[in-house]
Amino acid sequence: MKRIITLLFCLCGFGIINVASQTVTEEDFISNLLKQMTLDEKIGQLAQYTYRGNFTGPDGANIPKEEYVKQGKIGSMLNVTGIKEIHRFQELALQSRLRIPLIFGLDVIHGYRTCFPIPLAEAASFDLAMIEETARYNAMESAADGLNWIFGPMVDISWDARWGRVMEGAGEDPYYGSRVAEARVKGIQGNNLADTATVMACIKHFAGYGAPTAGKEYNSVDMSLGQFANFYMPTYHAAIKAGAATVMSAFNDFNNIPSTANDFLLNRLLKQQWGFKGFVVSDYNSVEELVNHRYAYDKKDAAAKALNAGLDMEMVSTCYLTYLKELIQEGKVKEKTLDNAVRRILEKKQELGLFEDPFRYCNPARSAKILNSPEIRNASLRMAERSIVLLENKQSVLPLTSQVKSVALIGGLSKSQNDMAGAWAATTDRSKIITLYDALLQKGLEVNYADGYDLKSNRMTDLQKTLQAARTSDIVLVAVGERANQSGEKAAKVDISIPEEQQRLVSELKKTGKPVVVLVMCGRPVIFNEIKEKADAVLCTWWLGSEAGNAICNVLWGTYNPSAKLPMTFPAHVGQIPIYYQYKSTGRPTSLKQTYTASYIDYSTEPAYPFGYGLSYTTFGYSDLNVLPGKSPDIHAEVSVKVTNQGQRTGEEIVQLYVQDKVASVTRPIKELKGIQKIQMEPGESKTVTFPITNEALGFYDNEMNYKVEPGEFIFMVGGSSNNLQQITFTLK
Ligand code: GLC
């Protein structure tokens, strides 16, 4: 695209081209700029430093940052927030010789000022349109406050709930995780990075960070290329195809080479095979950490290995700043390699429109109008309602009716704005978060509150007072779970059970004879077998953000009929992990009626709740499952099924299509999700849902990462949960 006049103005303004008649393409603009740059100025573009405090790790860059910005030795800052500060730093950048603007990045994981449900909760909605909408609002608020880049979406697939960062992702399934990745990239970036309502996305963490050995944070990742290609690679690939502007390298080593200096991942797969034209930023200090991995002798060796492997921008550590000039002079890094990294970064600054107007994102009036606006809060409420998973509803104790006048509310989490914000809502205005306690009061109910247990020790407190609150109320609501800071980064756990005394308290409350409804608040799948058995109803409410209390009340009283499903298996025992729905048959499947099968002698192989499971206040029937011929060459067939709302209440169903490749040239899972459709139906209404069967539904990667579709028999399965499906066979010629 040629923006001739504007670019010409820039070039003259930047003192790069004096001739007014030349037509200049964006390509030429970057090339001309690159030609003007000294080695120091080029290296400066590859440096990103943090500001004010150790947000996500120690700040090793002991340098005068403002001074270096003025000298053109820094290309980007992270953790600079607010228009005033961003404007100040940009002013400094424009004092440098070539006046190259900075880009400003921040972790906006589930909300900038308005807080949205944590990403894993949003994933439970299986509402891709809603997920794209909330991503768009996150970007809108971020851009309105001066940012041009957010470090998200995190697209790491994980089968291990011990790992705390499952909170940030979309769960265990590569097909669904890919659809969510696409939706979030589209929401964040829109169609034009120069639009002041959009910012750059950053796909993280490349690659395989969600599969750390033993679920231990930052631990090694070791998997076959076949395993990577079929289960972990798809979400990164989908995000790149959706146009993600940047990628962040992962802390972990990937098959014995740290991701931050992994030539196979960064140069060969991402840039050459996938044709990625954006740039790769390291994770926090992860270039210098090549020394800790014992993959680099020292920071100089780390700089050479990372840049030569395709790592374009170094976050926080100073290996590039300190050693790249020497390395180039010694011929250990080619200047062409440096130029390629610089070009990728400058092109994104240009796409953001920062050369034309370095202050385009600094508009206080726009910021005041957009941040925490009613429109954005309403989106947070709608997403929160759609994220709540109804797990148990015995004797249809829910939804509550207007007959309920008094509520025993048990558990300090029900009052905690901090916990409702979730694990990573750095810039959220917590004072504006609606807790369950607030929302119940606003409904005009009599609320008999009791702590029930100590939020720190998790020991039961004042049991008699708690039981008395229950006895004098129509219904008992108990908020149990983790603390919000017990998931997210550096929050891996060996025990993911809800504390024992919280569970025992529910059993004690049940003895009062009152209906007991339990709200499980968590940032990961958690285990609560005693509650599962004793409670009358259980809702997984995750961490729901600014409108948490209103969303929970709307679901409890049926204003919103819960529709969410689990995007990740909930184990029955931590010893089952990694546990996931797409397991393989093995040579001795448990379906064989014999003692020698793939199982445990001391526990079941079944999860507490499977992937794709979630209840509604109505029920849905499936009938007329059929396979029809494909209507075009790339559609081998169409699966159709009729879904009927059998209850008295309007509801939404997430219709799921799973596929089994009966026999293949590599071992394949017993089923894989290959389609979802969320539909709303009135009572008694039926709808026919159709799924196209393309190569993506039938194919797989072999151990050399070649994508294959093999003729033979397939089983198509359709239903409302991975463990409740009807099936039909199909033969691909
Ligand atoms: C953190 C995280 C990464 C984040 C980065 C910047 O350690 O791993 O997800 O974007 O550092 O804060």
Side-chain angles (χ1 to χ4, degrees):
M1 184 182 74
K2 295 184 177 170
R3 290 179 286 195
I4 310 298
I5 304 301
T6 327
L7 280 175
L8 217 50
F9 167 75
C10 281
L11 292 170
C12 299
F14 286 115
I16 294 166
I17 291 190
N18 300 318
V19 178
S21 60
Q22 259 182 322
T23 54
V24 167
T25 68
E26 292 183 337
E27 184 72 20
D28 297 347
F29 172 74
I30 299 293
S31 302
N32 288 317
L33 184 52
L34 211 45
K35 280 193 199 106
Q36 310 289 324
M37 294 171 81
T38 64
L39 210 42
D40 287 328
E41 288 164 338
K42 289 178 182 177
I43 292 166
Q45 289 303 305
L46 275 50
Q48 178 188 62
Y49 295 115
T50 185
Y51 191 65
R52 284 229 177 93
N54 308 336
F55 276 70
T56 48
D59 176 5
N62 183 13
I63 55 172
K65 289 163 191 171
E66 280 88 339
E67 193 44 43
Y68 274 42
V69 169
K70 275 165 64 175
Q71 295 169 23
K73 289 185 171 176
I74 295 179
S76 170
M77 291 295 292
L78 77 146
N79 299 330
V80 177
T81 52
I83 287 177
K84 189 164 161 294
E85 280 292 84
I86 288 174
H87 198 285
R88 182 174 73 83
F89 265 93
Q90 201 66 295
E91 289 279 6
L92 294 172
L94 296 182
Q95 291 174 35
S96 65
R97 187 177 75 89
L98 291 173
R99 300 158 42 85
I100 297 174
L102 293 168
I103 40 177
F104 296 89
L106 183 73
D107 291 289
V108 180
I109 309 302
H110 49 99
Y112 177 75
R113 190 68 85 248
T114 307
C115 191
F116 284 85
I118 56 171
L120 189 61
E122 289 201 350
S125 71
F126 284 81
D127 189 331
L128 294 169
M130 190 80 228
I131 289 171
E132 182 172 339
E133 185 184 349
T134 62
R136 187 163 54 79
Y137 282 126
N138 283 357
M140 198 186 284
E141 283 197 337
S142 304
D145 218 31
L147 293 164
N148 344 101
W149 186 16
I150 61 178
F151 301 129
M154 181 275 225
V155 302
D156 304 320
I157 289 295
S158 185
W159 294 350
D160 194 330
R162 293 169 298 184
W163 186 54
R165 301 196 75 168
V166 295
M167 179 281 287
E168 300 171 49
E172 73 191 41
D173 182 69
Y175 168 85
Y176 178 55
S178 299
R179 304 295 80 76
V180 172
E182 289 158 356
R184 286 180 169 151
V185 168
K186 282 185 211 140
I188 291 168
Q189 296 190 164
N191 300 318
N192 172 11
L193 285 181
D195 183 328
T196 53
T198 67
V199 294
M200 288 198 299
C202 184
I203 300 312
K204 66 187 192 181
H205 305 76
F206 197 56
Y209 184 12
T213 304
K216 184 167 73 174
E217 180 61 291
Y218 309 127
N219 208 6
S220 295
V221 171
D222 194 17
M223 61 176 74
S224 69
L225 285 185
Q227 180 79 350
F228 172 63
N230 284 301
F231 298 108
Y232 293 85
M233 185 180 81
T235 53
Y236 304 114
H237 196 188
I240 297 304
K241 284 190 280 189
T246 67
V247 170
M248 184 182 293
S249 69
F251 286 124
N252 54 281
D253 61 348
F254 178 79
N255 294 349
N256 310 317
I257 308 283
S259 303
T260 299
N262 194 309
D263 180 68
F264 161 72
L265 287 175
L266 305 182
N267 277 334
R268 284 186 280 145
L269 183 61
L270 179 64
K271 293 180 178 178
Q272 289 157 23
Q273 193 170 324
W274 293 352
F276 175 61
K277 294 283 178 272
F279 68 85
V280 182
V281 63
S282 77
D283 203 334
Y284 201 103
N285 274 331
S286 69
V287 172
E288 182 169 345
E289 289 172 3
L290 295 175
V291 179
N292 297 341
H293 275 285
R294 297 180 20 249
Y295 182 73
Y297 292 101
D298 51 29
K299 285 175 66 170
K300 180 176 178 181
D301 188 34
K305 282 174 173 156
L307 190 60
N308 285 332
L311 193 286
D312 302 305
M313 183 183 278
E314 178 179 12
M315 181 190 283
V316 176
S317 53
T318 56
C319 306
Y320 286 11
L321 179 78
T322 316
Y323 297 105
L324 268 189
K325 190 169 187 175
E326 222 173 293
L327 287 162
I328 286 173
Q329 285 156 352
E330 292 165 3
K332 290 183 182 146
V333 172
K334 293 190 179 61
E335 185 152 6
K336 188 164 60 65
T337 306
L338 170 63
D339 288 353
N340 181 283
V342 177
R343 172 180 293 280
R344 286 169 180 269
I345 293 163
L346 293 177
E347 283 171 351
K348 290 303 167 206
K349 292 186 176 184
Q350 186 177 54
E351 278 180 55
L352 285 162
L354 288 170
F355 283 111
E356 289 170 37
D357 174 5
F359 302 105
R360 64 188 300 110
Y361 294 88
C362 297
N363 177 326
R366 183 166 62 228
S367 169
K369 179 166 156 282
I370 286 173
L371 266 52
N372 229 343
S373 71
E375 175 197 352
I376 299 180
R377 282 193 73 98
N378 178 264
S380 180
L381 171 62
R382 284 182 289 118
M383 176 50 95
E385 290 169 338
R386 285 156 181 74
S387 303
I388 296 171
V389 189
L390 179 60
L391 297 173
E392 303 284 352
N393 190 17
K394 299 164 189 168
Q395 287 81 45
S396 298
V397 66
L398 295 178
L400 304 178
T401 67
S402 54
Q403 308 302 315
V404 171
K405 303 296 181 203
S406 59
V407 169
L409 180 62
I410 315 296
L413 288 174
S414 66
K415 286 182 154 183
S416 169
Q417 290 180 313
N418 263 335
D419 287 290
M420 283 315 109
W424 207 341
T427 52
T428 274
D429 181 350
R430 284 169 168 72
S431 70
K432 294 198 170 63
I433 288 181
I434 308 287
T435 66
L436 177 55
Y437 183 73
D438 303 329
L440 289 168
L441 288 179
Q442 280 166 16
K443 277 179 80 71
L445 288 158
E446 178 195 325
V447 180
N448 302 313
Y449 174 81
D451 281 338
Y453 56 90
D454 178 86
L455 269 177
K456 287 191 173 47
S457 68
N458 283 312
R459 308 302 299 268
M460 272 199 271
T461 56
D462 298 339
L463 179 58
Q464 290 317 314
K465 176 173 176 275
T466 306
L467 297 176
Q468 189 51 25
R471 289 190 192 101
T472 55
S473 305
D474 298 331
I475 186 93
V476 183
L477 300 182
V478 195
V480 299
E482 303 179 307
R483 300 306 302 272
N485 64 6
Q486 291 183 320
S487 58
E489 187 172 353
K490 66 174 181 14
K493 296 169 93 173
V494 293
D495 182 359
I496 58 169
S497 301
I498 284 183
E500 196 180 315
E501 294 213 8
Q502 288 186 23
Q503 299 202 55
R504 207 150 58 74
L505 177 62
V506 169
S507 302
E508 290 303 319
L509 286 162
K510 190 65 200 117
K511 290 175 188 167
T512 65
K514 297 284 183 176
V516 177
V517 176
V518 177
L519 306 157
V520 173
M521 300 179 170
C522 55
R524 55 154 51 88
V526 287
I527 296 172
F528 47 91
N529 297 326
E530 185 174 347
I531 286 173
K532 178 174 189 302
E533 185 197 328
K534 293 289 177 59
D536 295 294
V538 179
L539 294 151
C540 176
T541 64
W542 315 99
W543 304 116
L544 292 171
S546 296
E547 291 287 327
N550 290 331
I552 294 171
C553 284
N554 287 349
V555 166
L556 287 173
W557 270 270
T559 311
Y560 180 76
N561 181 359
S563 60
K565 306 265 186 189
L566 294 177
M568 197 169 172
T569 301
F570 271 50
H573 192 292
V574 72
Q576 295 173 323
I577 292 176
I579 182 171
Y580 44 94
Y581 84 87
Q582 62 275 56
Y583 57 85
K584 298 196 175 174
S585 302
T586 75
R588 296 187 171 187
T590 45
S591 53
L592 296 179
K593 294 295 166 241
Q594 64 181 41
T595 46
Y596 298 92
T597 58
S599 56
Y600 305 102
I601 59 169
D602 60 350
Y603 212 85
S604 157
T605 56
E606 287 304 303
Y609 300 102
F611 174 85
Y613 169 88
L615 301 176
S616 166
Y617 293 146
T618 184
T619 53
F620 298 98
Y622 285 74
S623 59
D624 301 357
L625 176 58
N626 232 322
V627 181
L628 312 166
K631 296 196 177 76
S632 66
D634 60 344
I635 295 182
H636 302 290
E638 286 195 342
V639 178
S640 80
V641 66
K642 188 163 86 169
V643 187
T644 304
N645 179 345
Q646 299 167 324
Q648 308 305 316
R649 183 182 285 270
T650 303
E652 294 156 287
E653 172 68 321
I654 295 160
V655 184
Q656 302 155 47
L657 166 73
Y658 295 84
V659 178
Q660 179 187 96
D661 185 345
K662 285 190 78 172
V663 177
S665 54
V666 295
T667 53
R668 308 284 299 117
I670 57 156
K671 66 183 79 146
E672 291 179 287
L673 184 72
K674 293 295 181 183
I676 52 162
Q677 291 191 38
K678 186 165 189 176
I679 54 174
Q680 178 171 304
M681 285 166 284
E682 298 307 314
E685 184 183 6
S686 293
K687 281 185 178 174
T688 295
V689 175
T690 306
F691 292 100
I693 300 297
T694 61
N695 280 347
E696 196 194 2
L698 304 178
F700 60 89
Y701 287 93
D702 66 15
N703 288 342
E704 287 68 45
M705 294 181 75
N706 305 307
Y707 194 71
K708 294 187 150 176
V709 179
E710 296 174 335
E713 279 224 325
F714 291 83
I715 301 176
F716 298 146
M717 297 163 257
V718 183
S721 171
S722 64
N723 71 334
N724 183 8
L725 300 164
Q726 296 181 14
Q727 66 180 51
I728 190 165
T729 54
F730 165 75
T731 303
L732 178 68
K733 300 277 181 275

